[in-house]
Amino acid sequence: MNRIAFASLRHRAAASLATFVAVLLGTALLVTCGGLFETAIRLDSTAQRLAGAPVVVAGEQGFKLPDQEHERVAYPERSRVDGDLVAAVAAVPGVARAIPDISFPVGDSRLGHDWASAALTPYTIVDGREPRATGEVVVESGRLGERITILVSGTPREFTVTGIARAQRPVDAPAVFFSTADATRFAPRPGTVDAIGVLLTPGAEAGEVAARVDAALPPELVVLAGADRGAAEFAGVGASRLALILVAGIFSGMVVVVMALVVSATISLTVRQRRRELALLRAGGATPRQVHRMVVRETMAVAVLATACGAGAAWFVASRVFEASAARGVVPEALVFRLGPIPFAGAVLVSLVMARIASHLAALPAARTRPIQALAEAAIPPVTVAPIRRLLAGVFAAGTVALAVTTMFLGPEIALAIGGPAVLTGSIAVALVGPELIDRLVARLPRFGGLAAVNLRARAAQFAAVLTPLTVGVAIALGNVYAQTTYEAAASAGYTDQLRADAVITSTAGGIAPGLVDEVRGTPGVEAATPLVTSRGWLDEPYDGKGSDPSTILGVGPSALDVPVSEGTLDAFSGDVVALPEKRAEDLDIAVGDRVTMRFGDGARVPVTVVALLDSPSHYAGMVVPPELLAPHTTAGAPRQLLVQGRSSGLPEWPSTTVDGGGALRSSFEAGLDVQGWISYLVALLAIAYAAIAAVNTMAVAVLSRRGELAVQRLAGATRRQIRRMLLTEAAVLAAIAVGLGTAIAAFTVLPMAVALGTLIPRGPIWVYVAVVAAAFVIVGPATALAARIATRRRAIVESHT
């Protein structure tokens, strides 16, 4: 049987190629998911400016959720270190110097630092001297003694260049070094430093010193060494773990389901085409076990080769996906992509197990069927499916409905995560009863008959192998894209509806300067102006249960709030105060005048007094605090926007700022949502690409396997043109059915999402739907035309005898 199995592969190259491609792509995508998971677990980032410090002390990276025993959540902002701890670190045995690192924006792409931290790279003076007094700086390029203007926290300041420095290793971000007095004055949060770099005494081991430093510091601080040091230098590395796990989790789930459906459909098609051959083997004395074993070994031979090739191509695919994620801001560019042996082993194992199960299930009917019955079914394949498949289809369909109903009663973020699996369960239900769906839907198509309709119904089992990947691709593409666009539209409206502004001044370097705020407020026609700071955080006492999905925090003055106050007042909105959404306060039993504790995005726990409750109907209502309270707890340390109320055509010009209308609020918010949306768009693109390749392969195999049938039709008088038109008609109807089923499946995700968001009607550009529909027809059209040309190339009398 082994000899027969391998000989059969040589004569069924097209069918084997379809299985090969499906397994190869699935393996490569699974390895990609594994690489993203490994990167999220390791979170390696190569230090640049801090690379000269063997040990680095950084702020708390996250906190343990009060309602979870082990889960920790990363902070969305940079967590800083108490400056008083520098002396404690310096006193640890093995520490030669403990150097505080302070960073603050001083231009479009530059960062300002204390000159003392230059030793952490290190930088060396190549001309001049270090800055010693206020008003002096060292730059990487310039002229000694030159007076230059630098934007610090949005304010233009004059400095004298006293030295030119060069880094002894590559550093991406240009640096400007200030005197210790100036750096301390410009620190985003007074009394804190971004990190503490540790230089070792001769002969000291970094690991041992790191352990001693860790023991001497409060437990919430982290001591980093080796590849982990980059997390202290690049803000966002720790927070990227959730984004990576989200991408890998969604992506791997989609890939596993799509791969299972595509591989099983492809293998089933190849086995079904061989029913006559397998029946003859049975009639010649082969036992059912021998036939089954032959089919499985054929498939596994192809699968083993495909997984090897897929694993070989995986690094290219994985690195491209990761680079695209970094370019779109999903993960920091400083994060190093890791792909070790475990993702390869896991992907190969999953691919081979999936191919083994699919071949086993596909070979069972052919092996168990009696020879005479198998010969009859080879001539006229049955369109009915086994009762167990109908039962399973009903279970998955019920699961789809249950997921859809559940989604309608969930919050926006949870609904976005829970609604997605409905696409997968719905696709599985369609795949299980695909032949019967084709038969019944074609029978009900108005004004459609003829030979194409007869072929579709008679060969429904074969065409189901094409329908499955097409339906999956359409459903995933439409479900992911429109769920995301609906979410983005609701989130954007909910955010902007809370604020009002006739003009928005945005800083492109350093933040909004206090002097600019005062100047704008004094401009004729301006009624009010307030800085806007946005961040995310939690109510810590009482705990709001937000966990890994922190709430939006708005730092803004009352003049820009466009939300009615249901209780309390915003007349004296300054200091440690907060205004909460009324529904949030009711859920947590909070009243005006209560003292609550907020945990800001940098981990700082700040007691505040509730002074007002806001009547906001939006799911995206944020907690509102004064901008001067929130700004020091952000990575930038300063507001980036100024909201202006009132009509004025003479707003002052300020360096590195832009003036736009009130619509800039929506634009800036949607720019942040684009990062989240890119995940959905990437999954949709890869899913439809995978489905497209699988559909093209199976369609080509299905057409080429009908050479004999097409030759008989030509001998009966049909022309090549008529044959091709019939095949294209079949393909078009099949694509239309896939679009209809895929749209229906996607609706179980998109419509409940719209209800959960309160919009009722999904939002999104219509061109996306048109593009997906067009893609479905383009996928099968050219493949069918090319396969038809090949199938009718030889003389009909020759083909009829092959």
Side-chain angles (χ1 to χ4, degrees):
M1 278 297 172
N2 287 337
R3 185 178 302 172
I4 297 176
F6 289 111
S8 177
L9 288 176
R10 292 197 298 271
H11 295 284
R12 297 188 176 276
S16 300
L17 179 63
T19 303
F20 177 86
V21 172
V23 176
L24 183 150
L25 290 176
T27 302
L29 293 177
L30 283 177
V31 172
T32 299
C33 298
L36 295 177
F37 268 120
E38 181 176 348
T39 302
I41 292 171
R42 297 177 62 170
L43 284 185
D44 290 344
S45 52
T46 303
Q48 296 180 6
R49 201 176 48 79
L50 301 181
V55 178
V56 178
V57 179
E60 186 180 15
Q61 303 294 302
F63 74 106
K64 187 175 75 67
L65 298 179
D67 56 351
Q68 299 289 335
E69 184 176 354
H70 302 292
E71 184 177 358
R72 292 182 63 86
V73 176
Y75 291 131
E77 307 283 358
R78 180 187 290 278
S79 180
R80 295 181 168 87
V81 182
D82 187 345
D84 294 336
L85 295 175
V86 176
V89 175
V92 173
V95 175
R97 292 179 62 191
I99 303 173
D101 177 51
I102 299 174
S103 301
F104 46 91
V106 292
D108 293 343
S109 60
R110 297 184 298 174
L111 289 174
H113 310 282
D114 183 357
W115 170 250
S117 65
L120 300 177
T121 308
Y123 281 82
T124 56
I125 296 288
V126 296
D127 195 9
R129 61 171 177 82
E130 72 276 6
R132 299 168 183 165
T134 59
E136 296 180 348
V137 294
V138 168
V139 296
E140 294 185 73
S141 62
R143 297 194 311 271
L144 290 180
E146 180 184 9
R147 296 285 292 175
I148 60 175
T149 300
I150 299 177
L151 282 175
V152 181
S153 298
T155 301
R157 300 177 187 270
E158 294 288 328
F159 295 90
T160 300
V161 176
T162 63
I164 308 298
R166 293 284 185 274
Q168 295 185 12
R169 53 172 45 90
V171 178
D172 293 337
V176 178
F177 293 99
F178 295 77
S179 65
T180 298
D182 278 343
T184 303
R185 182 159 56 102
F186 300 146
R189 188 175 167 193
T192 65
V193 298
D194 289 354
I196 302 174
V198 178
L199 302 183
L200 308 182
T201 57
E205 292 289 338
E208 296 177 358
V209 174
R212 289 196 288 266
V213 170
D214 189 39
L217 295 176
E220 64 270 14
L221 299 181
V222 293
V223 180
L224 307 172
D228 295 334
R229 292 172 296 168
E233 181 175 347
F234 301 104
V237 170
S240 65
R241 171 172 282 141
L242 180 61
L244 274 174
I245 291 176
L246 180 64
V247 173
I250 295 175
F251 196 18
S252 59
M254 293 281 186
V255 169
V256 167
V257 173
V258 173
M259 183 181 177
L261 295 176
V262 169
V263 170
S264 61
T266 304
I267 294 175
S268 296
L269 174 62
T270 58
V271 172
R272 191 175 296 277
Q273 291 172 348
R274 302 175 57 194
R275 294 294 284 269
R276 182 185 299 276
E277 170 193 329
L278 299 178
L280 290 175
L281 285 174
R282 289 286 316 282
T287 65
R289 184 176 181 181
Q290 289 175 318
V291 171
H292 182 274
R293 187 185 305 163
M294 182 190 72
V295 173
V296 170
R297 288 180 179 178
E298 288 178 3
T299 304
M300 292 309 296
V302 175
V304 168
L305 181 60
T307 52
C309 295
W315 175 260
F316 175 81
V317 176
S319 58
R320 296 292 85 78
V321 170
F322 185 80
E323 288 173 3
S325 301
R328 297 291 300 189
V330 177
V331 296
E333 293 186 0
L335 194 63
V336 178
F337 180 64
R338 298 298 186 189
L339 183 57
I342 295 179
F344 282 99
V348 168
L349 179 62
V350 170
S351 299
L352 292 178
V353 168
M354 200 172 296
R356 177 66 175 79
I357 294 174
S359 60
H360 168 77
L361 295 177
L364 280 178
R368 291 175 176 175
T369 305
R370 289 174 297 179
I372 299 302
Q373 181 183 354
L375 287 170
E377 290 181 356
I380 307 176
V383 298
T384 58
V385 298
I388 185 62
R389 295 186 62 168
R390 287 198 203 96
L391 176 62
L392 290 175
V395 171
F396 280 104
T400 303
V401 174
L403 286 171
V405 173
T406 304
T407 301
M408 292 189 288
F409 300 99
L410 299 174
E413 286 78 12
I414 300 177
L416 189 63
I418 296 297
V423 170
L424 303 180
T425 56
S427 299
I428 294 173
V430 167
L432 288 169
V433 291
E436 293 185 350
L437 283 174
I438 293 176
D439 180 51
R440 294 177 184 179
L441 290 174
V442 170
R444 286 167 174 75
L445 286 177
R447 298 183 180 180
F448 179 67
L451 196 54
V454 172
N455 287 336
L456 281 170
R457 298 186 65 186
R459 297 183 175 273
Q462 289 185 357
F463 284 117
V466 183
L467 178 71
T468 295
L470 271 181
T471 302
V472 171
V474 171
I476 291 178
L478 294 179
N480 276 38
V481 171
Y482 279 111
Q484 183 64 37
T485 55
T486 301
Y487 170 82
E488 289 179 359
S492 180
Y495 173 78
T496 55
D497 288 349
Q498 299 176 82
L499 304 168
R500 66 182 185 92
D502 298 303
V504 178
I505 300 177
T506 304
S507 170
T508 59
I512 297 295
L516 174 59
V517 179
D518 295 336
E519 193 171 339
V520 169
R521 287 172 176 169
T523 302
V526 172
E527 300 171 4
T530 174
L532 171 65
V533 186
T534 58
S535 185
R536 297 179 74 83
W538 301 262
L539 269 178
D540 213 35
E541 294 179 10
Y543 177 56
D544 58 9
K546 285 292 185 176
S548 59
D549 181 31
S551 302
T552 298
I553 304 178
L554 298 177
V556 68
S559 62
L561 275 180
D562 198 21
V563 182
V565 177
S566 59
E567 188 177 343
T569 179
L570 297 175
D571 291 342
F573 196 65
S574 62
D576 296 341
V577 297
V578 64
L580 296 176
E582 184 178 27
K583 187 177 185 305
R584 174 83 58 83
E586 290 177 355
D587 292 342
L588 298 175
D589 196 23
I590 298 174
V592 171
D594 287 354
R595 195 76 170 166
V596 299
T597 299
M598 297 183 66
R599 186 186 291 267
F600 287 119
D602 65 343
R605 299 177 74 251
V606 179
V608 293
T609 301
V610 180
V611 297
L613 301 182
L614 305 177
D615 184 16
S616 175
S618 170
H619 291 285
Y620 302 93
M623 300 182 287
V624 182
V625 299
E628 59 273 13
L629 174 62
L630 180 59
H633 299 285
T634 61
T635 301
R640 291 300 180 97
Q641 289 183 310
L642 181 65
L643 308 187
V644 182
Q645 293 80 45
R647 299 293 179 181
S648 176
S649 58
L651 291 175
E653 295 184 359
W654 200 269
S656 297
T657 61
T658 60
V659 181
D660 302 286
L665 278 174
R666 181 181 294 270
S667 301
S668 61
F669 182 77
E670 289 177 349
L673 290 177
D674 287 344
V675 174
Q676 304 174 28
W678 187 84
I679 299 174
S680 295
Y681 304 144
L682 173 66
V683 171
L685 177 63
L686 291 175
I688 200 167
Y690 185 19
I693 294 172
V696 166
N697 283 330
T698 51
M699 193 70 187
V701 172
V703 172
L704 293 175
S705 67
R706 297 167 62 186
R707 284 191 178 101
E709 170 198 334
L710 301 179
V712 171
Q713 292 179 14
R714 288 165 59 197
L715 291 173
T719 65
R720 286 186 173 90
R721 185 174 182 180
Q722 289 174 325
I723 295 293
R724 293 169 187 166
R725 187 186 305 160
M726 176 195 71
L727 293 174
L728 287 173
T729 301
E730 295 172 1
V733 172
L734 202 62
I737 293 175
V739 168
L741 292 173
T743 302
I745 293 170
F748 281 93
T749 292
V750 179
L751 292 178
M753 169 66 67
V755 173
L757 297 173
T759 62
L760 300 182
I761 300 175
R763 306 293 178 87
I766 189 63
W767 67 262
V768 172
Y769 187 81
V770 174
V772 172
V773 172
F777 284 89
V778 169
I779 286 170
V780 297
T784 302
L786 179 60
R789 181 177 295 274
I790 295 173
T792 58
R793 185 170 49 192
R794 294 197 296 177
R795 295 174 58 189
I797 190 65
V798 176
E799 290 285 6
S800 65
H801 287 85
T802 57

